[in-house]
Amino acid sequence: MSLLRICTYPESILKQKAGAVKDIDGALQRLIDDMYETMHTASGVGLAATQVGKDNALFVADVPSGDDKRLVIAVVNPVIVESDGQSSIEEGCLSLPGFRINVKRAARLVIKGYDRDGRELVLEARDLLATVIQHEMDHLNGVTLIDHASLLKREAYLKSLKKDD
Ligand code: NI
C-alpha cells in the first residue's frame, strides 16, 4: 500500500465530476486500499477518489458505529435511492485544512453501489454516516464543502490560504 497525495482546494480536480467505474479490477482494489491508508493516516472519516486525483466514482469511509465498533466501507458508483429527514453536523474536509461549517443534509439515506469485491451493496445510513456519505458523494459530483459556505466565509478562507503562502 502507499500513501496518496490529497488534493486541496482550489485544485481543479475537486470541481470535476467523477467518471463511473466500469471494472472493479486489481488496480481499482489497490486504489481502494491506498485510499484507506491515506484516510487513516490523515485521521479522516471519509475520502473520495477525486480528492486523490483519481477520476473514479468511489469513496471510502470509516465512521464510529456504537460502542467501540467502527463501520469501514468502500462504495463504488454510489447512488442515493432514498433520503429523508434533516440534520446539520459540523463538517471538515481533508481538502480544506482548517475549514469547518455546518451543512444541512438528509438525516437518513439508503444508497446502492458496489463493494471492493464487485458485489452489489445496499446500505442504510443515519446520523454521522449519512452526513459523511453525502459529503463524499458531493466530492464525486465536483462539489466541495466550501461550496456550501456563504460568499463571506469562502473569501475569508481563501484569504487565510494566501496568508500561509
Ligand atoms: Ni471532503
Side-chain angles (χ1 to χ4, degrees):
M1 289 202 282
S2 51
L3 282 182
L4 305 167
R5 187 182 76 83
I6 297 173
C7 302
T8 54
Y9 185 82
E11 281 183 66
S12 61
I13 179 94
L14 296 171
K15 293 222 169 262
Q16 207 171 297
K17 200 171 146 64
V21 172
K22 295 199 178 73
D23 200 9
I24 299 176
D25 55 10
L28 194 88
Q29 289 173 331
R30 267 194 302 282
L31 171 62
I32 290 171
D33 295 340
D34 289 345
M35 284 172 62
Y36 277 137
E37 196 188 0
T38 304
M39 170 178 68
H40 287 138
T41 302
S43 302
V45 292
L47 185 68
T50 44
Q51 287 182 277
V52 291
K54 307 289 182 195
D55 180 23
N56 291 311
L58 151 72
F59 72 83
V60 295
D62 181 342
V63 173
S65 70
D67 301 328
D68 288 335
K69 282 187 245 149
R70 302 191 70 85
L71 181 71
V72 183
I73 47 164
V75 187
V76 177
N77 295 344
V79 181
I80 293 174
V81 291
E82 270 179 48
S83 76
D84 47 67
Q86 201 182 81
S87 87
S88 174
I89 297 175
E90 193 184 57
E91 300 176 32
C93 178
L94 294 175
S95 295
L96 292 161
F99 186 80
R100 301 192 69 83
I101 51 164
N102 280 66
V103 181
K104 273 188 199 143
R105 303 201 187 264
R108 172 192 163 272
L109 26 118
V110 178
I111 61 163
K112 273 188 179 178
Y114 295 89
D115 70 10
R116 188 185 174 281
D117 299 310
R119 285 182 300 237
E120 214 175 330
L121 166 144
V122 179
L123 180 74
E124 186 185 19
R126 292 168 195 278
D127 309 318
L128 180 61
L129 178 61
T131 292
V132 170
I133 288 173
Q134 288 165 91
H135 176 121
E136 300 315 325
M137 289 184 69
D138 263 2
H139 276 301
L140 299 178
N141 284 312
V143 175
T144 307
L145 184 59
I146 198 164
D147 297 321
H148 290 283
S150 65
L151 184 62
L152 220 62
K153 275 198 171 172
R154 267 205 299 277
E155 283 177 346
Y157 183 72
L158 280 168
K159 225 186 234 172
S160 76
L161 288 182
K162 277 185 195 129
K163 241 181 249 160
D164 294 341
D165 284 344

